Amino acid sequence: MTPIEPDAALLDTVRSAERVVVFSGAGMSAESGVPTFRDALTGLWARFDPTELATPQAWERDPDLVWAWYEWRAAMVRRVAPNAGHRAVADWARSAQLTVVTQNVDDLHERAGSAVAAHLHGSLYAPRCGGCTRPAELDDDRFDGMAEPAERMTPPSCVHCGAAVRPGAVWFGEPLPDAAWATAADAAENCDLMVVVGTSGVVYPAAELPLRAVRAGATVVEVNPQRTDLTDAVTHSWRVTAAEALPILAAVR
Ligand code: OAD
């Protein structure tokens, strides 16, 4: 058996699962070249702590810094492609009832062909007014040539009320979008199989979803090269990457 071969019991569960949830975190996109959230940041951002940039306090203190960080990330994701893991999830949905729930703010699941049921932490591509909350229609060609944007960029002003436009991501201390959370919780509590891919499992309430699935009797498989805070709670922990594991799981018949 090669290290990336799953055990027979897991393959049987995958084969018989009728309702599957793929719950992804930053490691899902790592093989596309998107750094995970808790990787050390590089280049321009190496001296910042992402958990301190992703807060309402950081926005109040220094909106130009926070806006530039999200614009840099949005531009970076535009330059990369979905990996074999994202593509396998989209393929798998053609032969099973599969719900994608993600903590990721990128759009790589969608670009691989998946319909994402819940973006629990928002999206890099849904900026909205920080005052009146209306969606901001910003031109995507602003990303062209944005390899290393400035460390500070003034956020655009809302065309309706003039307040600063804010990133579409959920920040620490903010509630998750109600509809996304309700969809995700319902999917977790009503699946037979949950595949937890590339998350450290430290950010709540998202990290509660695998625990809810276990409590509801589902088989929960962790796909992660590292041990995580969820490892002891899940049914199977498989030490492989997303792009290695998901094509194998999606091909099980
Ligand atoms: P983290 O950066 O905390 O964790 C990434 C996980 O991916 C780690 O457990 C890695 O071992 C794993 N990993 C790395 N490469 C992988 C690969 N190729 N295949 C599979 N797994 C791999 O990212 P998240 O758990 O997603 O929220 O972080 C959760 C939330 O914390 C984010 O959504 C973000 C952040 O705060 C907000 O901004 C609100």
Side-chain angles (χ1 to χ4, degrees), residues 25-28 30-31 36-39 54 103-104 121 170-172 197-203 223-226 228 240-242:
M28 178 85 226
E31 287 154 289
T36 66
F37 211 78
R38 286 171 178 78
D39 277 342
Q103 297 169 84
N104 296 342
H121 293 161
V170 176
W171 287 326
F172 288 105
V197 190
T199 180
S200 54
V202 297
V203 173
V223 169
N224 198 312
Q226 309 284 332
T228 74
V240 285
T241 72

Side-chain angles (χ1 to χ4, degrees), residues 186-197:
D186 181 62
E189 285 161 6
N190 292 290
C191 65
D192 323 295
L193 172 66
M194 177 184 278
V195 185
V196 179
V197 190

Side-chain angles (χ1 to χ4, degrees), residues 4 27-32 82-89 197-198 223-225 238 240-249:
I4 66 161
M28 178 85 226
S29 301
E31 287 154 289
S32 293
N83 64 56
H86 296 105
R87 291 195 298 273
V89 172
V197 190
V223 169
N224 198 312
W238 195 12
V240 285
T241 72
E244 289 167 341
L246 287 158
I248 295 173
L249 297 181

